[in-house]
Each structure stands twice: as structure tokens, then as C-alpha cells.
């Protein structure tokens, strides 16, 4: 019996630490909110106690965090469920993002171009930027160009913002180029956006 | 959500503030991002860029903020949670244009940027500057009293 209890608690501790690690390396919107709350708490604490918080304040915090930790360890299946849902959600978002990107590509490929044409159009000659295609972003172009394989086609590409687009999408019209392979866009580069 | 600190735009000797972020666009396009120390939730990007419209071009002329050194790289995005001595060169250094565009101190022509800029006079807050930027070049620009949009 005791073995099962210890096993349960150890599993709980492991799940709680994994959950915290995920929050740290890949913070969600909620984690950012929590970070802001924590920041606000620190500011209030600094206002209230400019010479340092009293001991009972620190003890209260430690007590609060300990209770939260114990509850999380005891109820670790719930924490694990939340963690799985979160990771699943990320997977779904990623898949949705890929699908969106392909849908955008279908509608916004403007015309086929050659590498030489792109390098001529995108040559930055003003303002002290490197006198190279894509200027300061020339290394990005070189990496993009390396992805071209025999049989691929290069297309001028335009992104037009649309209602309900992902939050991290461009807010304004953006232009660039796409590599099309077997009818599918496999890589994109933008020369200017906003 | 905390209101984010503005970028600075210098035009005709006047200082304006605006809330679009050409450097963020640069990073998103694949430009070299450095680990800026986020020392306040009012500036998640960790820096404030100063831009100028000069000769019809949008140019980055200065940047303020701190860049994490090796010991603080992992906490740079949440540096506000820690008590960090920003003057300690082992922990971080002052942000410079050269850190993002190696070998150049500026001004940096923002050829990657195409978007409108809506800025407001930093002092009086009564004049706004509206500019349309295409590939870093200002294609139209006007200043007018706030609330006087025709």
C-alpha cells in the first residue's frame, strides 16, 4: 500500500515539475498573465515596504506556494490532463497554421519568376544597406535559395491580411517569394512587410 | 494588458511616438534577433528604437535597452522578475545598433518595412504624423492636429 502512495506522490512531483518547465520554456498567454501579476505584486510590495518586506510576509508567501505545490502534487492527474490538453492544443494550432499558410499560398501566388529576376528586383542600393539582394536580409535569401531543387518553380507572392487571420500574421500587405514543388508551396520568404 | 512603450520617431527636429515596431518586423523576416532583457511588462520587446525620417527614408538611428550576456540569456525574456544589476557587464550590456546589424552603428535604412506609421507629437500630444512607408521609403507624409483627419 505504502509503495503505491509513494509512487503516486513521486509521479505527482514529476508531473508538476514537467508542467512548470513547459510553462517556463514555452509560456502561454496565461503564463504571461501570471508573470504580469507577479510583477504587479512585486511593485505593490516595493511600494508598501520600501525597506524590505517583513518576515511574516515572506512566510505567508512560502506557505501559499507550499500549499499550492502540495495540492498540485496530490491532484496531479488533473495537472497532467491540463498539460496534455495544452500540448494537444499547440499541435492543433500548428496544423491549423500550416493549413492556413497553404490556403494563403494558393490565392496569392502572383507570377513565376527566376532567381536572377528576384535578385535584380530585390537589390537594395540605397540608405547604406548592404548592396545585395534583400539588403540586410541577404543571409535569409541565401538560405531560402538553397532550398530550390530541380523542377521547383519560384513565384512572386503577396500576403493580404484577412479577417480572422492568426494573431501573429502580418498586419499589413506583405510581399515576397515562394517555392512551389509538386503544386505545393514548400518555402516562403518576404522582402518587405509590416 | 499593460500598454506597451512606444518607439520614437524624429522628424523635422521634432520627437514623435508611435506604436508600430519595424525592428520586430525585421526579426520576423529572419533578421538577427538578440536576447533583449525584458525589464518591464510595459515593454515586452525589451528595447525602444529611435527612428528618423531622413531624405524620404525611414532609418533606425538609435536603440535603448539591454542585451543579455551568457549568464542571463535564459531569463532575458522575464528579467523583470529578478533583481538584476544592469550595470554589471557580466550580466548584460547596453543595446547598440551594431549588435543587430554587425559592423554598423547606424543609421540603418529600414528597406524591409512597408506599413503606415501613425505617430503623435511627444511633447504637445496635439499633432499627429501620418506616413505611408513602402520598402523603407516614405511615399506619403502629413502632419496635422490630432482629431483633424479629413
Amino acid at each position: 500500500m505504502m509503495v503505491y502512495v509513494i509512487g503516486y506522490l513521486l509521479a505527482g512531483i514529476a508531473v508538476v515539475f514537467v508542467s512548470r518547465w513547459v510553462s517556463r520554456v514555452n509560456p502561454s498567454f496565461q503564463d504571461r498573465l501570471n508573470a504580469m501579476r507577479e510583477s504587479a505584486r512585486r511593485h505593490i510590495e516595493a511600494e508598501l515596504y520600501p525597506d524590505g518586506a517583513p518576515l511574516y510576509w515572506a512566510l505567508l508567501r512560502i506557505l501559499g506556494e507550499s500549499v499550492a505545490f502540495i495540492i498540485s502534487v496530490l491532484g496531479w492527474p488533473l495537472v497532467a490532463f491540463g498539460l496534455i490538453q495544452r500540448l494537444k492544443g499547440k499541435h492543433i494550432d500548428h496544423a491549423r497554421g500550416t493549413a492556413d499558410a497553404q490556403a494563403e499560398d494558393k490565392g496569392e501566388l502572383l507570377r513565376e519568376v527566376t532567381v536572377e529576376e528576384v535578385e535584380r528586383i530585390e537589390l537594395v542600393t540605397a540608405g547604406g544597406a548592404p548592396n545585395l539582394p534583400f539588403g540586410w536580409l541577404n543571409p535569409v535569401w541565401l538560405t531560402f535559395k538553397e532550398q530550390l531543387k530541380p523542377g521547383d518553380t519560384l513565384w512572386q507572392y503577396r500576403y493580404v491580411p484577412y479577417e480572422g487571420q492568426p494573431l501573429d500574421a502580418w498586419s499589413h500587405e506583405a510581399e515576397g517569394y515562394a517555392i512551389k514543388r509538386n503544386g505545393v508551396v514548400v518555402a516562403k520568404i518576404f522582402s518587405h512587410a509590416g | 494588458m499593460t500598454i506597451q512603450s512606444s518607439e520614437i520617431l524624429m522628424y523635422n527636429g521634432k520627437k514623435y511616438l508611435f506604436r508600430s515596431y519595424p525592428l520586430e518586423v525585421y526579426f520576423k523576416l529572419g533578421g538577427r534577433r538578440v536576447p533583449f532583457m525584458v525589464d518591464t511588462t510595459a515593454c515586452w520587446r525589451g528595447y525602444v528604437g529611435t527612428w528618423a525620417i531622413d531624405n524620404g527614408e525611414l532609418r533606425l538611428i538609435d536603440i535603448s535597452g539591454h542585451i543579455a550576456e551568457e549568464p542571463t540569456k535564459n531569463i532575458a525574456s522575464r528579467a523583470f522578475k529578478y533583481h538584476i544589476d544592469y550595470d554589471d557587464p557580466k550580466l548584460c550590456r547596453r543595446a547598440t545598433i551594431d549588435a543587430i546589424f554587425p559592423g554598423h552603428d547606424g543609421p540603418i535604412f529600414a528597406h524591409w518595412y512597408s506599413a503606415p506609421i501613425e505617430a503623435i507629437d511627444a511633447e504637445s500630444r496635439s499633432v499627429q504624423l501620418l506616413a505611408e512607408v513602402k520598402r523603407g521609403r516614405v511615399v506619403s507624409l502629413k502632419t496635422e492636429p490630432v482629431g483633424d483627419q479629413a
Side-chain angles (χ1 to χ4, degrees):
Chain A
M1 180 63 185
M2 201 57 192
V3 175
Y4 289 117
V5 172
I6 291 171
Y8 181 86
L9 293 178
L10 286 177
I13 291 168
V15 166
V16 169
F17 275 106
V18 168
S19 175
R20 288 184 178 188
W21 177 75
V22 168
S23 295
R24 179 168 284 202
V25 297
N26 202 347
S28 64
F29 181 64
Q30 187 60 44
D31 293 327
R32 285 182 184 271
L33 274 182
N34 290 341
M36 279 189 254
R37 280 196 202 110
E38 175 64 13
S39 168
R41 189 196 60 72
R42 278 174 191 268
H43 281 111
I44 292 167
E45 199 175 287
E47 285 284 322
L48 286 174
Y49 306 110
D51 300 325
L55 184 63
Y56 78 86
W57 189 270
L59 288 175
L60 268 178
R61 281 205 60 210
I62 292 167
L63 185 68
E65 281 172 15
S66 305
V67 169
F69 182 77
I70 291 166
I71 290 172
S72 302
V73 168
L74 291 176
W76 72 261
L78 281 176
V79 178
F81 179 73
L83 186 62
I84 290 165
Q85 290 300 106
R86 179 175 171 170
L87 295 174
K88 244 188 199 173
K90 280 205 181 303
H91 177 69
I92 291 166
D93 285 348
H94 176 71
R96 194 181 294 144
T98 307
D100 283 348
Q102 290 189 359
E104 287 155 19
D105 293 339
K106 279 176 195 166
E108 302 299 335
L109 295 177
L110 303 176
R111 67 182 181 98
E112 201 174 330
V113 287
T114 62
V115 168
E116 293 72 25
E117 199 179 351
V118 173
E119 294 194 328
R120 200 169 55 244
I121 295 169
E122 300 300 339
L123 185 66
V124 179
T125 54
N131 198 8
L132 295 165
F134 292 79
W136 293 107
L137 294 164
N138 181 260
V140 185
W141 165 245
L142 296 179
T143 307
F144 175 83
K145 215 167 56 162
E146 280 173 12
Q147 296 177 64
L148 274 166
K149 289 183 177 171
D152 286 353
T153 50
L154 190 59
W155 291 74
Q156 203 165 27
Y157 171 85
R158 183 171 63 204
Y159 178 82
V160 180
Y162 58 93
E163 208 172 313
Q165 67 176 16
L167 282 176
D168 60 350
W170 298 116
S171 312
H172 303 280
E173 201 170 288
E175 290 181 354
Y177 302 90
I179 296 174
K180 207 171 171 184
R181 185 174 300 151
N182 301 324
V184 179
V185 170
V186 293
K188 283 184 293 188
I189 182 174
F190 288 97
S191 56
H192 58 109
Chain B
M1 199 66 146
T2 315
I3 293 173
Q4 294 297 293
S5 48
S6 306
E7 294 280 281
I8 298 166
L9 177 67
M10 304 303 294
Y11 176 65
N12 273 354
K14 267 193 167 182
K15 183 178 170 183
Y16 294 83
L17 304 174
F18 69 109
R19 287 218 174 92
S20 39
Y21 307 108
L23 260 187
E24 288 303 301
V25 173
Y26 177 73
F27 297 141
K28 200 169 158 183
L29 289 171
R32 181 169 179 262
R33 184 188 276 278
V34 292
F36 288 105
M37 301 286 276
V38 179
D39 59 1
T40 164
T41 56
C43 190
W44 281 110
R45 59 192 191 285
Y47 64 85
V48 172
T50 300
W51 303 81
I53 292 176
D54 192 16
N55 209 15
E57 292 175 352
L58 179 68
R59 296 171 179 175
L60 176 67
I61 56 170
D62 196 14
I63 188 163
S64 63
H66 290 90
I67 298 170
E69 294 292 2
E70 206 52 49
T72 52
K73 267 184 185 164
N74 290 336
I75 59 157
S77 63
R78 51 183 192 285
F80 59 89
K81 294 177 102 177
Y82 303 88
H83 296 291
I84 293 169
D85 178 2
Y86 286 92
D87 292 325
D88 186 342
K90 281 186 232 113
L91 301 181
C92 59
R93 64 186 192 276
R94 286 199 176 279
T96 57
I97 289 177
D98 174 71
I100 307 164
F101 302 94
H104 296 267
D105 293 329
I108 299 293
F109 172 43
H111 62 78
W112 63 87
Y113 192 68
S114 288
I117 286 180
E118 292 177 24
I120 189 160
D121 187 324
E123 278 179 27
S124 67
R125 309 257 167 174
S126 62
V127 176
Q128 63 184 352
L129 179 154
L130 305 170
E132 183 68 36
V133 180
K134 184 94 175 163
R135 290 180 179 262
R137 293 188 181 282
V138 179
V139 292
S140 70
L141 185 150
K142 64 177 177 180
T143 54
E144 61 185 23
V146 172
D148 191 28
Q149 289 181 39

